[in-house]
Amino acid sequence: MSLHPTDLSPQNMADGQRAVEPLEHSSTPPALELDGISLAFREKRSSLPVLQDVSLSVRPGEFVSLIGPSGSGKSTLFHIIGGLLKPQLGHIRMNGQDVTGERGHISYMPQQPALFPWRTTLDNVLLGQENAPRKDTAAQPRHTSERERREEALQWLEQVGLGPFAKAYPHTLSGGMQQRAAFLRALLSPQELMLLDEPFSALDALTRGDMQQWLLRMWEKNRRSVLFITHSIEEALLLSDRIYVLSARPASVIHVVDVPFPRPRREEITLDPRFIEWKRKMTGWMREEKHRLDGDTDITGSVREDTSGIGAKPL
């Protein structure tokens, strides 16, 4: 995969913020492709536009993040991808197949661990496999028996440091341990595409940093296709191959950033001057959208002027 831009020259900065990027020439279709998704909530005679012509893609084995102002519709977009809501306009394709409005195609990790208190850590981890539709069991022979699934889950628990807690109940686990169990539940679900909805937002700063590094190691080892929601620009830059920046509601894609930092990545990359400059630039975009949402056009203008010096172009 070609990651660009490699520096912060005006040309490269412009290259890193295309509204719709062409997919690399490949016979393999995207793991996920959203094409012109629009949705408005209706109540009696009023209508609230939430999403407007949102298009994005996640290639197989790619880590893609979504950032945008609070209330811009990021979680609503996840509900549409998962089939809980159906868009008024647009289509969702997974591996080239139209799955708009269909359920059972994704594994999902919410903001809270959502572990059942009456189930052990092991049983919570197995929950995603138990509830997943078995549409293609021939393609997944390792999931042919409950015994094999439990043995595999136990091996994974050992790898993520939860082996001694396999029979423990959620209330005895720390917040970070609960999040690891929730992530493992999503990882072991048979669906290839994982949707992670701000999974570390409730953690303290130190634990969140540890979990980011843990997630990086886990993902680099397995390379599942991931779509990740976060409000943290630093987190998005640290974890992602590509970042979609959404506008204020109704949300549309206003910038696309191909993250220029090679893998494997470690926390030290956050001290790189390029990383700091990208963070500053994206913070300007987000501040601009917040002020636009608040109706503060004067401040929006000053933000736009401030970012123009490093090659920024509003799309």
Side-chain angles (χ1 to χ4, degrees):
M1 181 186 304
S2 149
L3 294 180
H4 60 302
T6 56
D7 57 50
L8 288 171
S9 65
Q11 179 60 46
N12 282 333
M13 290 294 281
D15 288 344
Q17 45 174 317
R18 302 180 306 278
V20 179
E21 80 294 359
L23 292 176
E24 294 178 359
H25 295 291
S26 171
S27 58
T28 304
L32 172 68
E33 187 175 12
L34 305 188
D35 183 10
I37 298 296
S38 296
L39 177 72
F41 290 129
R42 287 178 168 73
E43 183 177 354
K44 296 181 180 179
R45 297 183 180 180
S46 63
S47 178
L48 177 66
V50 178
L51 301 169
Q52 182 175 307
D53 195 25
V54 175
S55 296
L56 60 82
S57 65
V58 180
R59 302 180 185 110
E62 190 175 35
F63 197 119
V64 175
S65 287
L66 282 175
I67 65 172
S70 295
S72 60
K74 299 182 293 296
S75 293
T76 299
L77 193 61
F78 268 22
H79 294 160
I80 291 175
I81 297 169
L84 300 177
L85 294 172
K86 191 169 184 179
Q88 271 104 24
L89 294 173
H91 296 276
I92 301 165
R93 288 182 285 273
M94 295 185 186
N95 302 309
Q97 301 296 314
D98 193 314
V99 297
T100 309
E102 296 182 12
R103 302 185 186 185
H105 296 284
I106 56 115
S107 61
Y108 174 68
M109 181 177 175
Q111 296 180 24
Q112 301 296 328
L115 304 177
F116 288 150
W118 60 87
R119 295 180 68 124
T120 65
T121 304
L122 173 61
D123 289 334
N124 269 292
V125 165
L126 289 167
L127 190 61
Q129 299 178 56
E130 293 173 7
N131 293 333
R134 302 291 168 188
K135 294 183 179 180
D136 189 14
T137 53
Q140 301 179 51
R142 62 193 179 121
H143 291 147
T144 55
S145 75
E146 180 180 354
R147 178 181 177 181
E148 289 173 335
R149 291 197 296 271
R150 294 183 73 86
E151 288 177 352
E152 181 186 37
L154 283 169
Q155 292 173 4
W156 274 104
L157 285 169
E158 289 290 344
Q159 289 189 42
V160 303
L162 293 177
F165 303 93
K167 296 182 179 180
Y169 289 91
H171 73 275
T172 67
L173 306 180
S174 69
M177 294 165 71
Q178 290 184 29
Q179 289 298 91
R180 274 183 276 165
F183 178 81
L184 196 54
R185 177 180 58 197
L187 183 69
L188 293 182
S189 297
Q191 298 89 347
E192 163 62 19
L193 178 66
M194 299 177 65
L195 304 187
L196 310 182
D197 189 353
E198 292 192 83
F200 308 142
S201 61
L203 301 177
D204 64 82
L206 185 59
T207 304
R208 182 171 186 153
D210 290 342
M211 287 300 299
Q212 289 169 354
Q213 292 302 309
W214 179 83
L215 177 57
L216 267 177
R217 292 193 300 272
M218 292 293 294
W219 180 83
E220 287 168 353
K221 193 184 298 184
N222 294 275
R223 293 285 176 154
R224 290 281 289 275
S225 305
V226 171
L227 186 59
F228 182 88
I229 289 177
T230 180
H231 279 102
S232 169
I233 294 169
E234 181 173 301
E235 185 170 71
L237 285 168
L238 177 65
L239 297 175
S240 310
D241 295 309
R242 189 162 68 260
I243 303 169
Y244 288 87
V245 183
L246 299 181
S247 69
R249 191 179 61 241
S252 59
V253 176
I254 54 173
H255 299 284
V256 181
V257 175
D258 287 328
V259 179
F261 310 113
R263 297 188 185 276
R265 290 189 201 143
R266 295 298 175 256
E267 191 174 13
E268 293 75 19
I269 194 66
T270 60
L271 303 177
D272 188 303
R274 295 179 304 162
F275 190 101
I276 295 170
E277 187 64 9
W278 268 115
K279 183 179 176 181
R280 186 189 74 82
K281 178 176 174 59
M282 295 175 69
T283 299
W285 294 341
M286 297 295 291
R287 187 174 292 119
E288 180 176 345
E289 286 306 303
K290 181 180 185 302
H291 292 315
R292 188 171 70 83
L293 185 64
D294 296 340
D296 195 341
T297 54
D298 291 338
I299 299 179
T300 299
S302 68
V303 171
R304 188 177 289 117
E305 181 180 358
D306 178 62
T307 60
S308 63
I310 54 173
K313 285 198 216 170
L315 297 181

